[in-house]
Amino acid sequence: MSAPAPLFSLTPGSTPLLIDVPHAGLGLSPGLDGRLTDAALALADTDWHVDKLYAFAAKAGAGLMVAAHSRYVVDLNRDPAGRALYPGADNTEICPTRGFDTAPLYRSGQEPDEAEVARRVDEYWRPYHARLAAELEAIRARHGFAILLDGHSIAAEVPRFFEGRLPDLNLGSNDGRSCAPALAALACDILGGQDRFSHVHNGRFKGGYITRQYGRPAEGLHALQLEIARDSYMHEDDHVRWDAGKAAPLIALLQRLVDGLLGWRPA
């Protein structure tokens, strides 16, 4: 019998910075492909190619952790207890049953029940978070502090979640609670020090479960989320295709951001 597929890849770094990418995976749990609709099998809500955007991280000395499974299996950036990230807004579940376009993901009668959701949390969500927490603790033990950059992307226009077009770069610090103010200010200065990409801090996306859970600056753990509008680096009408030329300007900016985070030290 073949060994189970790994749940994530982790390339440890030599610096206080760890970048994690929880939504770029394409793997499905056994049998799930037969239960999803034909449209859902396109995995349209994937954070396409975000792992490639940060592929330079290892050479820079940052750690890089990338989930292998689709968010349709379980959403690693949601609270397993079901608490909403944005009370009063339309929030996706830890095991989504509707796509970002509100269409059902499952064939009729094939949706997961509570017991299956709990199994997926145990099999996929908990191991990922256990390793993420352990890696952050190891970084903090070596350096005295740790920085987590949580990397995401989304379609530039998703009426289900926001009106109009999203800014290109959406930095979140949980309204200033997930990292030192000086670190957020540094990141904002870098993102704002160019005129190619629009940017906002704590706009529609303030940081999901990962940013809020691991961002505890009083304990030396600093977390930022960066949500990127996909059309700033890829062709949204052909999301599977990776266009290195189109992505190059954004990657250059992300390299400047990572360099800035690597140079930061707590006061």
Side-chain angles (χ1 to χ4, degrees), residues 194-215:
Q194 48 77 45
D195 57 13
R196 184 184 186 109
F197 303 103
S198 58
H199 70 284
V200 68
H201 182 210
N202 288 322
R204 173 59 181 84
F205 294 98
K206 302 175 186 293
Y209 176 85
I210 290 171
T211 303
R212 302 179 195 200
Q213 173 68 15
Y214 298 105

Side-chain angles (χ1 to χ4, degrees), residues 74-88:
V74 70
D75 192 330
L76 297 168
N77 203 29
R78 295 296 178 271
D79 189 322
R83 287 184 287 267
L85 289 175
Y86 300 100

